[in-house]
Amino acid sequence: MLTRRTFLATTAAVASVRAIPQVAKSPAPRRILTLVYDKALGGMRAIDKLVR
């Protein structure tokens, strides 16, 4: 018997199976940490960027 709950669970399982290989293929984004001098703070400040 197909209920709303089983339909949603089946749909979510199929979507996750299709999405996982695409996520695994993409490379992990790199983090670039840059230190800059901030005059307003009167000291160094860290800027973190994610680069794909």
Side-chain angles (χ1 to χ4, degrees), residues 14-52:
V14 169
S16 66
V17 167
R18 289 184 180 176
I20 288 173
Q22 292 175 357
V23 171
K25 289 180 185 177
S26 65
R30 293 185 328 181
R31 293 187 97 106
I32 298 177
L33 182 66
T34 308
L35 294 174
V36 295
Y37 184 76
D38 191 347
K39 291 180 182 178
L41 290 175
M44 300 297 285
R45 185 170 59 128
I47 299 175
D48 190 20
K49 290 184 183 179
L50 287 176
V51 179
R52 290 184 181 223

